[in-house]
Amino acid sequence: MSTITATSSSTGTPIRQRRSTPLRRRLARIPMYVVVAIVLVIFVYPLIWLLLGSLKTQDEFLNNPTWALPENWLNFSNYVTAWSSVSKYLLNSVLTVIPSLLIALLIGTAAGFALEVMIFRGRRQILLLFLVGIMIPGQMILLPLFTVYFTAGLSSSLWPLIITYTATALPLTVFMMATYFHAIPREIFEASTLDGAGIIRSFFSVALPMMRNAIFTIALVQFFFLWNDLLIALTFTTDDSLRTIQVGLLNFTGRFGVVDYGPTFAAICINVIIILVLYMFLNQRVVKGLTAGAVKG
Amino acid sequence: MKSVLGDKRAIALLLGPALLVYTAVMLIPMLWSLGYTFFTGNVLKGFTFVGLSNFERLFTDPNVGPAIIFTLKYALIVTIGQIVLGYLMALLYQFFLKGSSSFIRTLVFFPVVLPTVAVSLLFQKLFEYAPQNGLVNSVLNLMGIGSIDWLGDPKYAFVVLAIMDIWRAMGFYGVLLFTGFLDIPDDVMEAARLDGASGWKLVRHVVFPLSLPVLISSAIFSINGTLKVFDSVYALTGGGPGSATTPLTLLMYRKAFAGGNYGYGSTIALLLTIMCLVVTVVIYRTNSSNSKEEAS
């Protein structure tokens, strides 16, 4: 958690002024501190409760009060049970999300570059066409895609997910990249072509390195969208061996949930911890990227 | 100069792949889906042309009305909850915590990136009633209130769903609206303070009107997301108890896959798309006419 505190915002009043606040005004602030404390509890305690639960035995779940601490803090047997089925779901998630993400970033950045830096008729209209994809509910494309994947015999592979994820990640990637390229003067790319290199070379050797940060931010945002997806994964995974972590987790709790608390808590925990680790190191970028995506979308 | 940036071959190479994938996997299926609305059947049984009967069915199907009402009720309540609580959080960050808000901001934002499935399952456990009380019922018992069958009662199932989706997203709107405050010029705030405005007066007469544009775009974003709600309903309540918490998205899913009727499913999806467009345009219109009045 220490990484979260390390970064602090620059807004606010000078410290000197705050120190000199009279006692009465400081007392008047107490109710607000209570509000802050309640907010903290509401946001943190459920997650701590989940983590503690994942270390409890079935016996503790049935006999101890729900807020009791685990009797054995090193009881990882639930994780062992959960891992045996969750690990293959995790692998499926990695195998679908990472390739889609890389392809979408590459061709999306190229398209953003073309639409914002290159000059040709109709580029505004094409950008608007990509915007349609942000607006339309996913339900509009599921059924035709299912028909195509089924007829093409792709249903028993991860390809339907990779293809659909790549495409659904494109609209926002193209749009955000176009906005980032908009801030950069065209002359830079023109100048880089003067020494004989073509504009394609200039895209790879100048534009891509220059946009490293922006691309990384978009990659993070898209990672969360794809990793957390349920609708697409649910539709196209017809077989247990193809399930992603989200679909697998739903199925897992369907099987264990009612009778076996510990493994269920551990399985949910694994899903939360992966995201938590990413968030602990990259939270500032995640927050910025997600809110920027919203303002633009 | 112009020839370099107008190079047709380069444009085709850069734009081509993305445009191709996007068109093939999103644009064509969208139009294809429109075509499905005139058919019945599925990929296994084959399709038969039925003219407008899917649309007729839309008006007579007893499931559609409740699904529309649920979708709208859910979207309205959750959007209001997300925006109002998000705005209160933003005010808390800006005027109370000031420089030290970063930690809480980051913390409250965390559920935004958590998988919906994980959050839904966590909330199932939090609000559990049988076979064992979850955390919420245990706390209620402690205060002398009897256990509530949260997810077994339509009324309470809706409450849990709304609480969960507000919990998940309010940190997001908190940050979004907080960033909006940074656009308010310092001298405006200073002038208002010198004029004696402080506390709620300052918020009501200065901060609120100035953050209205960000509030409107947040509302559009939120309502667009909540109208399309699927993941959290599917994972938390599965549309139940009965079909009490079934939005259009889930109804579409059931009709198409469990019911095996792609045509009717597509018709429901179309209805949903139209609802999203209409709501966005309506909010956008009211907003732009408001800002025009302010400008003149």
Side-chain angles (χ1 to χ4, degrees):
Chain A
M1 280 293 175
S2 61
T3 42
I4 296 175
T5 35
T7 46
S8 68
S9 150
S10 56
T11 50
T13 48
I15 296 166
R16 227 177 329 116
Q17 201 181 323
R18 207 184 300 162
R19 281 215 183 114
S20 62
T21 336
L23 183 69
R24 222 162 48 137
R25 274 199 63 189
R26 280 216 244 158
L27 283 176
R29 286 167 70 89
I30 286 180
M32 287 307 284
Y33 280 118
V34 175
V35 170
V36 173
I38 293 173
V39 167
L40 278 176
V41 169
I42 290 174
F43 279 86
V44 177
Y45 187 62
L47 295 170
I48 292 179
W49 180 75
L50 176 73
L51 186 71
L52 295 180
S54 72
L55 300 172
K56 291 180 185 175
T57 62
Q58 183 73 0
D59 193 48
E60 289 176 73
F61 271 107
L62 297 178
N63 299 322
N64 293 359
T66 186
W67 44 77
L69 297 175
E71 283 166 10
N72 176 6
W73 286 86
L74 296 174
N75 170 27
F76 293 115
S77 63
N78 292 328
Y79 283 91
V80 176
T81 313
W83 184 255
S84 63
S85 28
V86 167
S87 56
K88 71 165 184 269
Y89 301 141
L90 272 177
L91 185 68
N92 285 336
S93 273
V94 171
L95 287 178
T96 50
V97 170
I98 303 298
S100 328
L101 199 59
L102 292 178
I103 302 169
L105 282 173
L106 179 67
I107 65 178
T109 309
F113 180 82
L115 291 172
E116 201 53 56
V117 178
M118 305 294 277
I119 300 163
F120 58 99
R121 203 181 290 188
R123 57 206 188 94
R124 285 288 125 214
Q125 286 80 348
I126 294 180
L127 194 60
L128 279 176
L129 202 63
F130 274 108
L131 265 182
V132 173
I134 301 180
M135 284 281 306
I136 298 291
Q139 276 80 0
M140 274 302 272
I141 61 167
L142 289 182
L143 299 172
L145 285 179
F146 193 88
T147 306
V148 171
Y149 295 143
F150 187 83
T151 333
L154 294 173
S155 291
S156 53
S157 70
L158 290 172
W159 284 110
L161 286 187
I162 298 176
I163 296 168
T164 318
Y165 282 164
T166 307
T168 49
L170 277 176
L172 194 63
T173 308
V174 171
F175 197 66
M176 283 179 81
M177 280 321 298
T179 332
Y180 285 123
F181 278 120
H182 188 72
I184 293 169
R186 280 207 179 87
E187 287 72 29
I188 291 179
F189 304 111
E190 268 178 331
S192 69
T193 61
L194 287 181
D195 54 3
I199 193 78
I200 303 275
R201 274 252 330 255
S202 145
F203 167 71
F204 281 104
S205 58
V206 180
L208 274 187
M210 188 191 272
M211 283 295 164
R212 234 178 11 226
N213 266 324
I215 293 172
F216 185 58
T217 305
I218 297 174
L220 265 179
V221 171
Q222 299 288 10
F223 172 81
F224 287 117
F225 284 148
L226 298 183
W227 186 265
N228 297 349
D229 160 74
L230 177 64
L231 179 66
I232 293 167
L234 195 66
T235 309
F236 298 129
T237 49
T238 42
D239 191 89
D240 180 62
S241 64
L242 298 173
R243 288 191 169 120
T244 62
I245 175 75
Q246 310 308 339
V247 183
L249 189 62
L250 262 187
N251 180 60
F252 181 86
T253 53
R255 260 187 303 146
F256 288 83
V258 189
V259 278
D260 233 349
Y261 286 94
T264 305
F265 274 63
I268 305 172
C269 248
I270 292 172
N271 200 355
V272 168
I273 288 169
I274 293 168
I275 300 295
L276 178 68
V277 170
L278 259 181
Y279 190 69
M280 264 161 77
F281 290 105
L282 298 164
N283 57 70
Q284 293 303 309
R285 218 182 249 272
V286 172
V287 171
K288 257 195 207 120
L290 275 169
T291 43
V295 174
K296 277 151 199 160
Chain B
M1 275 303 213
K2 216 182 161 198
S3 67
V4 182
L5 294 181
D7 181 354
K8 288 268 159 27
R9 226 172 51 106
I11 293 170
L13 263 170
L14 290 166
L15 183 60
L19 198 56
L20 195 75
V21 172
Y22 177 67
T23 308
V25 185
M26 293 193 78
L27 289 183
I28 292 175
M30 271 177 222
L31 299 175
W32 193 333
S33 198
L34 285 182
Y36 270 164
T37 58
F38 302 107
F39 288 85
T40 182
N42 60 48
V43 64
L44 293 172
K45 283 195 300 190
F47 295 91
T48 30
F49 183 78
V50 290
L52 290 174
S53 81
N54 281 326
F55 292 94
E56 281 165 30
R57 191 175 159 192
L58 204 57
F59 289 103
T60 50
D61 186 342
N63 296 316
V64 171
I68 293 178
I69 291 170
F70 176 81
T71 305
L72 291 175
K73 191 173 102 177
Y74 168 88
L76 190 71
I77 290 176
V78 174
T79 296
I80 290 174
Q82 286 175 350
I83 302 291
V84 169
L85 289 175
Y87 196 63
L88 290 177
M89 289 308 293
L91 290 173
L92 187 78
Y93 301 153
Q94 174 79 5
F95 295 107
F96 184 72
L97 296 168
K98 293 176 183 164
S100 50
S101 73
S102 176
F103 176 72
I104 293 199
R105 235 165 44 212
T106 314
L107 205 97
V108 175
F109 195 92
F110 181 53
V112 176
V113 295
L114 277 178
T116 314
V117 172
V119 175
S120 303
L121 295 174
L122 171 63
F123 270 68
Q124 268 181 11
K125 294 292 162 205
L126 282 172
F127 286 87
E128 195 169 59
Y129 171 72
Q132 247 218 312
N133 270 339
L135 186 60
V136 174
N137 273 338
S138 301
V139 172
L140 286 181
N141 289 349
L142 206 66
M143 301 191 311
I145 303 167
S147 299
I148 293 170
D149 186 3
W150 291 99
L151 295 171
D153 181 312
K155 203 169 61 222
Y156 291 122
F158 182 85
V159 172
V160 177
L161 190 64
I163 291 177
M164 182 179 92
D165 279 336
I166 292 170
W167 184 82
R168 268 183 346 115
M170 64 184 264
F172 176 80
Y173 293 100
V175 172
L176 203 62
L177 295 164
F178 172 73
T179 346
F181 289 155
L182 302 180
D183 295 336
I184 299 176
D186 281 340
D187 49 339
V188 172
M189 293 292 287
E190 211 45 55
R193 282 211 182 91
L194 287 178
D195 285 345
S198 66
W200 278 115
K201 246 187 187 165
L202 187 72
V203 170
R204 246 189 68 194
H205 297 290
V206 182
V207 179
F208 183 72
L210 285 173
S211 48
L212 206 56
V214 194
L215 273 169
I216 300 284
S217 47
S218 301
I220 294 181
F221 192 77
S222 170
I223 204 145
N224 243 311
T226 48
L227 281 174
K228 295 178 198 162
V229 63
F230 177 83
D231 294 10
S232 44
V233 178
Y234 188 89
L236 182 77
T237 67
S243 60
T245 57
T246 303
L248 280 172
T249 49
L250 191 59
L251 185 68
M252 174 268 169
Y253 199 83
R254 294 222 189 290
K255 296 286 176 190
F257 291 108
N261 191 340
Y262 287 15
Y264 189 47
S266 293
T267 315
I268 300 176
L270 178 64
L271 173 70
L272 178 73
T273 309
I274 293 171
M275 272 170 59
C276 289
L277 283 176
V278 167
V279 168
T280 308
V281 169
V282 166
I283 302 182
Y284 190 76
R285 276 279 171 81
T286 27
N287 175 40
S288 56
S289 63
N290 276 347
S291 51
K292 258 180 226 148
E293 277 163 30
E294 273 165 37
S296 62

